[in-house]
Amino acid sequence: MVLLTWIAEVADEPLVLEPADRRVEWETNTWSLGAADEDRGSLSVAEVVAAFERTAAAIRERIRVLGFSGVATFYVWHDAQAGQLRCSTGSVPPDALPFGGSYAPSGDLGPVIEGFLADSEPGFIAWPDLDDAQNLSEQTETGPEDTPFAVWVSSVGVSR
């Protein structure tokens, strides 16, 4: 159950809320979490969701104690290419997260965790699922190939 320990530890890691410097926020507050096959097979979606919800609550309390009065969001996504769960906290609302592509903010973490736990070959993307460089360069940001990925969002700032 190492994954649950790592999720809990995120709540105690360094936390920077600096609206004027989003890059520093991203670099300080973003974490990558992997799981051994044993964890993937033995953990339930509900256990992992509950761990992230506890972490969000702890971060919310830290932000309150820090006296930060702005908007802040804790968010989690499955990075299928890396085979990892990633999480971060930023002084942004859910619709302004620092992703270069399309994402779909959601209050339901279950599907994100299901995809991660069900990934039988973390970090492996089959060749047919990859675009070649030519196709990639021809895509537009609004094209049908730009399928949004799910991101669980939790408001952790004082302002909501």
Side-chain angles (χ1 to χ4, degrees):
M1 308 285 179
V2 173
L3 178 61
L4 299 181
T5 301
W6 288 341
I7 294 168
E9 288 174 353
V10 167
D12 297 322
E13 292 294 336
L15 179 66
V16 172
L17 295 173
E18 187 56 58
D21 195 343
R22 304 274 193 232
R23 190 177 64 79
V24 168
E25 282 186 351
W26 177 261
E27 290 173 359
T28 305
N29 302 341
T30 303
W31 302 98
S32 300
L33 307 168
D37 290 341
E38 305 84 56
D39 271 4
R40 286 180 191 272
S42 64
L43 288 172
S44 71
V45 170
E47 288 173 305
V48 179
V49 166
F52 273 117
E53 288 173 342
R54 287 189 299 272
T55 295
I59 290 171
R60 186 176 300 111
E61 180 60 19
R62 281 182 68 191
I63 290 172
R64 187 189 66 72
V65 169
L66 287 171
F68 181 78
S69 61
V71 172
T73 303
F74 176 70
Y75 51 104
V76 178
W77 70 101
H78 174 210
D79 182 338
Q81 288 181 321
Q84 300 172 331
L85 283 173
R86 301 218 175 165
C87 61
S88 192
T89 304
S91 59
V92 294
D95 62 351
L97 300 178
F99 292 113
S102 295
Y103 67 96
S106 171
D108 185 3
L109 181 53
V112 173
I113 302 304
E114 285 172 13
F116 173 74
L117 292 177
D119 189 352
S120 62
E121 296 184 75
F124 176 79
I125 308 292
W127 277 109
D129 294 336
L130 294 174
D131 290 321
D132 63 40
Q134 180 64 33
N135 287 341
L136 187 61
S137 67
E138 293 173 359
Q139 291 179 8
T140 64
E141 287 190 27
T142 58
E145 297 86 4
D146 195 20
T147 305
F149 60 95
V151 178
W152 178 68
V153 295
S154 178
S155 176
V156 292
V158 176
S159 298
R160 294 174 190 230

